[in-house]
């Protein structure tokens, strides 16, 4: 087990499962109209980038590879939080309605009888 973890192959298997999960989410979103799991995909991307950084650290990669994985993970996490908090949401569009002025109501003629 130690050799499997130190070689990074265990993380490769986990990354494959994450890719399958992302593909399943995309296919599910196409089947169910009106839902698009963008925030969930950013969440998966953030986790995958963290696992890539861990894999780089375990296999003795250079520090820019580790820092790059951590940076990508942070960016994906920030994008996910911005989506979930509605920072990228479009303001609601209100249809411009023509202004209708009311016609003055005709006044009744004064009653001539005393």
């Amino acid at each position: 087990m130690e050799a499997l973890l130190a070689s990074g192959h265990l993380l490769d298997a986990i990354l494959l499962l994450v890719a399958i999960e992302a593909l399943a989410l995309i296919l599910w979103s196409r089947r169910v109209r009106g839902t698009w799991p963008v925030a969930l995909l950013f969440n998966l991307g953030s986790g995958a980038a963290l696992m890539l950084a861990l894999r780089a650290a375990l296999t003795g990669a250079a520090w820019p590879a580790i820092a790059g994985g951590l940076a990508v993970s942070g960016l994906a996490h920030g994008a996910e939080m911005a989506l979930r908090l509605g920072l990228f949401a479009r303001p609601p569009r209100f249809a411009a309605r023509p202004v209708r002025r009311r016609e003055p109501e005709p006044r009744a003629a004064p009653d001539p009888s005393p």
Side-chain angles (χ1 to χ4, degrees):
M1 184 69 169
E2 183 179 340
L4 188 64
L5 185 60
S7 69
H9 293 307
L10 181 61
L11 290 168
D12 291 339
I14 295 170
L15 285 168
L16 179 65
L17 289 175
V18 168
I20 291 170
E21 184 178 2
L23 181 64
L25 277 172
I26 291 169
L27 292 175
W28 174 76
S29 69
R30 286 183 173 211
R31 186 172 176 206
V32 178
R33 296 271 182 212
T35 58
W36 179 244
V38 178
L40 290 175
L41 291 177
F42 275 119
N43 189 320
L44 286 174
S46 176
L50 277 176
M51 284 186 273
L52 285 172
L54 177 62
R55 185 185 191 289
L58 287 173
T59 58
W63 71 266
I66 300 168
L70 292 174
V72 169
S73 177
L75 289 173
H77 178 65
E80 176 205 356
M81 292 308 295
L83 281 172
R84 290 191 188 273
L85 293 174
L87 298 179
F88 291 140
R90 294 183 199 163
R93 289 186 169 185
F94 297 104
R97 296 181 187 171
V99 177
R100 293 185 186 176
R101 296 185 181 204
R102 285 200 267 173
E103 296 293 323
E105 293 181 20
R107 294 187 180 184
D111 192 15
S113 61

